[in-house]
Amino acid sequence: MRIIDRTERRERQDAHNSIIQAGTSGLSRQLLRVALVCAAAASLAACAQSSAVRQARSPASAKQAAAELRPPVQRPETAPESLVRVRHAEFSPPAAHSAASGLASYYSEGQKTASGERFNPSELTAAHRSLPFGTRLQVTNVKTGRSVVVRVNDRGPFVQGRVVDVSYSAAQALGMVNTGVAPVKVSVVR
């Protein structure tokens, strides 16, 4: 057996203590970081909650909430005739859609249209990006002069430069089946 003198024992003890202190200081740093992150998160949550409470108590949001709960304003029976006509009139498309020119294409396959009805290539229907379903359009082939009235029941075309997609039967009436696309003029009938 080896005899350890006091100085060697003290050196070992000092090394052991320094190892423990180093491990403890790393651990305490991590704990300190976690505590700071938690405190910051709690502070942000409190700020968000207080601003939400302030916003809920503000008079502007209370007025807005009260306005949303009110029933719609009833027009008096003596309203001007122009207002009565607008209120009872059917949808009239905006002037931007009343006439358009561009390319038309056709499609002959599909299961369902955007309006929910089943696609039928033998019907005179069309796809338009924004006009309401049921709108009647007169599509005129600029090259041949042929014209057909179609009903909007789908959305499209999704190709740049095209203004309308027509069904196969409408494409036959316009004389564009062989070319696939044709320059057309589109106007709203009803």
Side-chain angles (χ1 to χ4, degrees), residues 4-179:
I4 301 174
D5 64 344
R6 286 185 180 178
T7 56
E8 191 176 342
R9 186 182 295 165
R10 177 166 283 217
E11 287 173 4
R12 283 187 179 180
Q13 186 65 34
D14 288 343
H16 180 71
N17 288 343
S18 66
I19 290 172
I20 290 176
Q21 285 177 351
T24 307
S25 66
L27 182 63
S28 63
R29 284 183 191 149
Q30 288 178 345
L31 288 174
L32 181 62
R33 285 181 188 154
V34 169
L36 287 174
V37 168
C38 289
S43 175
L44 287 174
C47 289
Q49 184 180 10
S50 68
S51 67
V53 168
R54 258 188 261 122
Q55 191 176 24
R57 290 182 184 166
S58 73
S61 64
K63 286 179 183 178
Q64 182 181 3
E68 290 174 358
L69 294 176
R70 269 188 244 136
V73 176
Q74 297 293 326
R75 295 184 192 261
E77 293 299 321
T78 59
E81 189 176 323
S82 62
L83 289 178
V84 174
R85 265 190 281 129
V86 170
R87 190 171 74 191
H88 294 293
E90 289 184 18
F91 172 79
S92 60
H97 292 299
S98 60
S101 296
L103 287 177
S105 56
Y106 76 93
Y107 59 108
S108 59
E109 295 179 14
Q111 294 295 321
K112 266 191 168 179
T113 62
S115 65
E117 62 186 72
R118 192 168 181 81
F119 176 72
N120 185 352
S122 63
E123 289 183 8
L124 297 175
T125 57
H128 193 274
R129 286 188 196 100
S130 59
L131 287 174
F133 299 129
T135 303
R136 304 275 180 193
L137 301 174
Q138 181 172 6
V139 182
T140 306
N141 187 335
V142 176
K143 285 186 176 179
T144 63
R146 290 178 163 186
S147 176
V148 67
V149 175
V150 294
R151 178 178 52 90
V152 175
N153 71 340
D154 204 359
R155 291 292 173 226
F158 300 110
V159 177
Q160 185 84 19
R162 296 191 187 168
V163 292
V164 68
D165 273 340
V166 295
S167 64
Y168 182 77
S169 61
Q172 282 179 325
L174 291 169
M176 58 180 271
V177 173
N178 292 335
T179 58

